[in-house]
Amino acid sequence: MQKIISITGMHCQHCSAAVTKALEALPGVSSVSVSLEQGQAVLDAGTNSDAALRAAIEDIGFDVTAIK
């Protein structure tokens, strides 16, 4: 299932790369695209819950403001 995650706290390409890596580490996640400019990640979340996606991002120091 495709998800769009709104993220605050990303300031550079290193930040967006860290978010990409954290999401790709979750089982079943694919097609991760993180936009620094838009402050969001678009991905195929597989069977991961919104809580698992939020935890993966917040555990590396960023804030999730919405998941659609």
Side-chain angles (χ1 to χ4, degrees):
M1 171 178 281
Q2 184 176 19
K3 296 282 185 171
I4 300 172
I5 306 171
S6 298
I7 305 163
T8 60
M10 295 189 300
H11 302 291
C12 64
Q13 291 297 70
H14 176 75
C15 295
S16 59
V19 170
T20 300
K21 184 176 178 181
L23 290 170
E24 287 177 339
L26 294 171
V29 169
S30 62
S31 302
V32 178
S33 175
V34 178
S35 170
L36 183 63
E37 296 78 22
Q38 294 181 11
Q40 69 181 20
V42 179
L43 65 145
D44 180 343
T47 58
N48 289 285
S49 67
D50 288 356
L53 298 171
R54 180 181 300 273
I57 295 169
E58 292 183 346
D59 285 351
I60 59 169
F62 301 102
D63 294 317
V64 173
T65 59
I67 300 177
K68 301 176 190 174

